[in-house]
Amino acid sequence: MNIGVDIGGTNIRAGIELGGTITKQHKMLLENKDSLAATLSQLKDLIRPLTQYPIKGIGIGVPSVVDVSKGIVYNVMNIPSWEEVALRDIIENEFNIPVSINNDVNCFILGEHRFGLAKKYKSVVGMAIGTGLGSGIIINDQLYAGNNCGAGEIGMLPYRDSVLENYVCNRFFEDTLGMDANAAHQLANAGDSRMLAVWEEFGKHLAAVIKTVMYTYDPEAIVLGGSIAKAHQLFKKGMLENLKDFAYPESVKRLTLLLSEDDNIALLGAAALMHDIQ
């Protein structure tokens, strides 16, 4: 059994992976994010009840750049006090259990590859669409993180007057409509014509991300996850329409697009980090 931990800017979750499922799950609202000591204390309190079981390792997914070899995280998104944290050493010293750290979206796609929809694919890219846009990459059945755990940051590529992420995350709806994606989703479901048009435009921008992924990695499959992916019926038409001008049409035909179904997939992926070192 391994513990999987998913650290977000608002909530932190932890659970035990057993046979490809998450059990004994705990969740906390992350408080006092300007205090390193307070947030680390919360994280330890979240993990501690799970260590009463025969745990072999703890895998942690963090929304940041990670020095995987040293277990250090840098400039964690939405946690101001986590500028440089030797997280692996801190947690190992607390619980005397081996720890592995990686980027949260890398954990998402690792979970899909080991336990979820992408099990049968050797080459797959996962995209988490929500507050931001993150990507994780599997090549030849192995997680590819890059030299600084920053591989797959497609959202930071230049696009129009900004970067791709600003057009393919919640910020797009805030900038366009003055509301978040959830509110735009509800109004579109109620038949609001303006909202339906904006979601179709969102699909157009998402198609630009998918084309970038295809030109760069040419994967067998792409898995879409995150809160905004749940509105896929609203952006699907715009997305598919704007994939038609891809230079290699046969590649589009052979690409499999999947929608993540398991809310615990990032926890499973975090736990799976330990499988590779045990």
Side-chain angles (χ1 to χ4, degrees):
M1 291 190 291
N2 294 300
I3 294 172
V5 181
D6 183 31
I7 296 177
T10 303
N11 298 300
I12 50 176
R13 298 187 299 151
I16 295 173
E17 181 267 313
L18 180 62
T21 61
I22 292 294
T23 64
K24 313 294 182 183
Q25 184 176 164
H26 296 275
K27 180 179 179 180
M28 283 185 181
L29 178 67
L30 193 60
E31 301 171 343
N32 198 8
K33 292 187 284 186
D34 290 324
S35 168
L36 177 60
T39 49
L40 287 174
S41 178
Q42 272 200 276
L43 178 60
K44 293 172 186 177
D45 289 345
L46 182 74
I47 295 171
R48 187 169 291 108
L50 302 177
T51 60
Q52 65 181 295
Y53 302 97
I55 299 299
K56 295 180 179 179
I58 301 171
I60 304 177
V62 186
S64 70
V65 171
V66 181
D67 185 329
V68 175
S69 64
K70 296 180 180 179
I72 300 173
V73 302
Y74 298 93
N75 307 116
V76 178
M77 294 292 292
N78 298 313
I79 310 179
S81 58
W82 286 35
E83 294 183 359
E84 181 178 336
V85 183
L87 190 58
R88 185 183 66 193
D89 289 349
I90 290 168
I91 301 302
E92 283 186 347
N93 291 338
E94 181 72 20
F95 299 110
N96 196 30
I97 297 173
V99 174
S100 183
I101 316 286
N102 214 299
N103 174 268
D104 60 339
V105 186
N106 287 347
C107 290
F108 160 67
I109 193 56
L110 185 62
E112 290 289 7
H113 184 253
R114 298 291 175 83
F115 303 109
L117 299 176
K119 285 189 289 188
K120 68 179 182 179
Y121 301 104
K122 290 182 173 293
S123 172
V124 59
V125 172
M127 295 196 297
I129 312 168
T131 304
L133 170 67
S135 300
I137 307 159
I138 300 287
I139 297 175
N140 292 329
D141 289 326
Q142 297 296 316
L143 180 65
Y144 179 72
N147 187 46
N148 300 293
C149 205
E153 291 296 338
I154 303 298
M156 293 298 102
L157 291 175
Y159 181 68
R160 296 197 169 189
D161 61 343
S162 184
V163 294
L164 279 165
E165 180 176 70
N166 288 338
Y167 287 86
V168 188
C169 74
N170 189 63
R171 192 176 300 115
F172 169 74
F173 297 93
E174 293 175 340
D175 291 345
T176 305
L177 299 169
M179 66 181 69
D180 64 18
N182 182 56
H185 188 180
Q186 293 179 22
L187 288 169
N189 281 340
D192 187 300
S193 59
R194 185 187 177 204
M195 298 299 153
L196 290 169
V198 170
W199 276 104
E200 189 165 337
E201 183 184 352
F202 177 86
K204 175 181 178 179
H205 300 310
L206 179 56
V209 178
I210 292 172
K211 285 186 279 191
T212 300
V213 168
M214 292 179 69
Y215 284 127
T216 307
Y217 302 107
D218 191 23
E220 297 170 84
I222 293 174
V223 185
L224 302 180
S227 58
I228 293 179
K230 295 177 181 178
H232 64 279
Q233 290 297 340
L234 297 174
F235 62 72
K236 181 178 179 181
K237 178 181 176 182
M239 177 186 70
L240 294 177
E241 184 67 27
N242 285 278
L243 287 175
K244 290 180 179 179
D245 64 352
F246 189 74
Y248 311 112
E250 190 61 31
S251 297
V252 176
K253 292 178 185 177
R254 296 179 63 186
L255 177 71
T256 300
L257 288 171
L258 302 166
L259 293 164
S260 185
E261 300 172 346
D262 190 337
D263 290 337
N264 289 328
I265 205 69
L267 286 177
L268 288 167
L273 294 172
M274 299 306 306
H275 292 194
D276 295 332
I277 60 177
Q278 290 171 347

